[in-house]
Amino acid sequence: MQTINYKEKFPMYVAHPDLIYLDSAATSLTPQIVLDKMNDYYTQYGTNISRGVYSLCEEATTQYELVREKAAAFIHAPSDQEIIFTTGTTHSLNILAHGISPDESDMHILATAMDHHANFVPWQNRTKNFEVINIDKDYRLDLSNLAKKITSKTAVLTIPLISNVLGTINPVQKIISLAREINPQIIVVIDAAQAAPHIPIDVQKLDCDFLTFSAHKLYGPTGAGILWGKKEKLQNIRPLLTGGDMISEVSSSKTQYRNIPHKLEAGTPNIAGIIGLGAAIDFIQSIGLKKIQKNEEMLTKYALNSLRKISGLKIYGPQDANDRAGVVSFTLKNIHPHDIASILDTQYNIAVRAGNHCAMPLHIETLDIPATARISFGIYNTIEDIDTLEKGLYKVSEIFS
């Protein structure tokens, strides 16, 4: 069984040749081509953007604005003016929770039991009229539960495209269609942080109103992300931050904001980070998302089959690899996930995540466990990595037997 192997493109593997990195759902590694592009900014034209008429500023602005075009093409957005640069998914979701219908203090908002805290807490803090859509016994969103909870007064429905714990790929297009049948005015927000590096996204086909993702899960740098929204919806958002570059006109008596995208981009941005995000998109496009998706489906299937062999190991999420992404959370007997992660690290140089993965309601209220161990794949992972993981988990089980 053959897999893509791009380890040589990532400096982390040069520094740590024996590393088995299985934590891309938290943060992916960064290829040299992205680091080079960011270094070019700092060494060749590292000035501020949009504020100068000299050539270095114009070059920085050009490189920065090119990323809007790349991001728009990446998610099939109709206009690059609908691309808002943020510090990441958390920032993007806070902009939306703060800015959608700001004068409605008790709006009805629906999130899901599988949401990351970043797509849970901002909405919960926004209103007392906050509800959660449950999941069924197969770790999928309960659509009957969804249909019961949406009403004509529901203002926002927010959903992860892929669960960062369960790996569940939610049927977002079907969910949006169902939601709009019940309430045509509902605003649908998609958290695509776990999806953007792994599966193709077309916001026009999905017919969502807003979609967010982060660079650092996309083989890019930390501190950079994308908020996409339908143009008319973005224009109605109240800015979370105000200040430089988002102003059209200001006087001692009033302030007039610029149009989007600049209206929602106050202050000096993470210029190098956004340029790195553009390079990361180029890197993914050079390989092809469909190729990446096919490879990760094969890795996931192999991993599920390998883990099922281990006595006392329980996998959380859809059991069919075709229904999930390359994220696999599990428990092993009564061994604490932190102990699992520690032994895998110290004895096998395997990096896995352990904890509630910023999804405490899912773990405590739905799965009824405090924590899980989680593996997640990137394009640098191989079948051999999974074989070593299986060996390591047998050792963990032996130590605690």
Side-chain angles (χ1 to χ4, degrees):
M1 187 178 292
Q2 297 296 315
T3 57
I4 306 170
N5 188 346
Y6 287 97
K7 280 184 167 66
E8 71 279 1
K9 296 183 181 295
F10 291 82
M12 186 73 80
Y13 285 110
V14 176
H16 306 279
D18 297 326
L19 173 67
I20 297 177
Y21 189 75
L22 294 172
D23 195 23
S24 292
T27 293
S28 58
L29 303 181
T30 311
Q32 187 65 51
I33 191 170
V34 172
L35 300 174
D36 289 343
K37 190 68 175 179
M38 295 172 67
N39 192 54
D40 284 348
Y41 164 74
Y42 281 119
T43 59
Q44 304 299 318
Y45 53 93
T47 64
N48 213 324
I49 58 168
S50 305
R51 293 173 171 84
V53 295
Y54 52 91
S55 58
L56 289 178
C57 176
E58 289 175 351
E59 175 65 13
T61 303
T62 297
Q63 293 296 326
Y64 182 84
E65 290 297 331
L66 277 173
V67 182
R68 282 193 215 277
E69 298 177 17
K70 294 177 182 180
F74 186 62
I75 59 173
H76 297 88
S79 169
D80 62 0
Q81 296 303 292
E82 296 176 335
I83 298 295
I84 310 298
F85 294 137
T86 70
T87 64
T89 302
T90 299
H91 181 198
S92 299
L93 292 166
N94 274 272
I95 288 173
L96 296 177
H98 170 84
I100 292 175
S101 303
D103 296 327
E104 295 182 32
S105 60
D106 201 27
M107 60 197 297
H108 183 221
I109 297 175
L110 285 176
T112 79
M114 62 174 67
D115 270 299
H116 187 283
H117 293 163
N119 200 31
F120 196 98
V121 177
W123 302 107
Q124 188 182 57
N125 284 344
R126 170 62 198 277
T127 181
K128 294 180 180 179
N129 198 3
F130 176 81
E131 287 191 84
V132 174
I133 300 160
N134 298 324
I135 62 174
D136 61 24
K137 60 182 177 59
D138 296 317
Y139 305 101
R140 296 177 176 86
L141 288 178
D142 184 346
L143 297 190
S144 65
N145 185 253
L146 168 71
K148 291 174 185 175
K149 293 198 173 187
I150 294 177
T151 73
S152 60
K153 295 183 179 180
T154 305
V156 175
L157 168 63
T158 185
I159 318 165
L161 184 44
I162 293 175
S163 166
N164 75 309
V165 176
L166 305 172
T168 308
I169 303 174
N170 288 315
V172 170
Q173 194 168 350
K174 180 179 179 181
I175 290 170
I176 293 173
S177 179
L178 173 61
R180 296 207 194 283
E181 283 181 15
I182 301 170
N183 179 356
Q185 304 305 314
I186 196 168
I187 294 173
V188 182
V189 177
I190 302 300
D191 172 2
Q194 293 297 333
H198 307 292
I199 63 175
I201 295 173
D202 187 327
V203 293
Q204 296 183 74
K205 286 184 179 179
L206 292 177
D207 190 31
C208 55
D209 296 292
F210 299 99
L211 182 137
T212 71
F213 62 92
S214 298
H216 74 100
K217 299 181 192 294
L218 194 79
Y219 308 108
T222 56
I226 296 293
L227 165 60
W228 170 84
K230 292 179 177 177
K231 194 170 186 178
E232 68 280 6
K233 299 289 177 65
L234 282 172
Q235 196 62 47
N236 290 330
I237 295 291
R238 181 178 68 180
L240 176 63
L241 300 175
T242 56
D245 207 43
M246 53 86 71
I247 298 299
S248 172
E249 183 179 348
V250 63
S251 70
S252 58
S253 59
K254 68 175 183 178
T255 296
Q256 182 70 38
Y257 300 142
R258 295 174 69 183
N259 290 328
I260 61 164
H262 307 291
K263 174 185 174 182
L264 300 176
E265 295 179 354
T268 297
N270 179 5
I271 302 169
I274 295 300
I275 290 171
L277 168 56
I281 290 173
D282 288 341
F283 176 69
I284 286 177
Q285 298 285 50
S286 71
I287 300 167
L289 266 172
K290 289 186 177 179
K291 185 176 182 180
I292 291 171
Q293 183 180 17
K294 184 177 179 181
N295 184 71
E296 290 180 356
E297 285 175 353
M298 185 269 293
L299 284 172
T300 303
K301 183 176 181 179
Y302 188 86
L304 291 174
N305 289 335
S306 297
L307 295 179
R308 288 188 187 112
K309 299 175 188 176
I310 302 171
S311 177
L313 189 145
K314 181 176 181 178
I315 296 170
Y316 295 87
Q319 299 302 302
D320 189 335
N322 295 322
D323 296 333
R324 64 185 300 153
V327 177
V328 183
S329 297
F330 61 90
T331 54
L332 179 57
K333 300 178 181 177
N334 61 347
I335 305 169
H336 197 285
H338 288 171
D339 292 324
I340 296 172
S342 179
I343 293 170
L344 291 176
D345 175 42
T346 56
Q347 297 199 22
Y348 294 90
N349 208 18
I350 300 173
V352 305
R353 182 66 51 164
N356 58 52
H357 319 303
C358 295
M360 194 175 292
L362 173 63
H363 278 82
I364 304 300
E365 298 172 12
T366 302
L367 304 180
D368 196 28
I369 50 175
T372 53
R374 184 186 70 186
I375 62 170
S376 51
F377 302 125
I379 59 172
Y380 27 68
N381 291 123
T382 64
I383 291 298
E384 290 73 23
D385 291 344
I386 299 169
D387 289 340
T388 305
L389 170 69
E390 182 183 353
K391 180 180 177 182
L393 289 172
Y394 275 120
K395 181 66 174 181
V396 172
S397 187
E398 178 186 321
I399 289 173
F400 283 90
S401 62

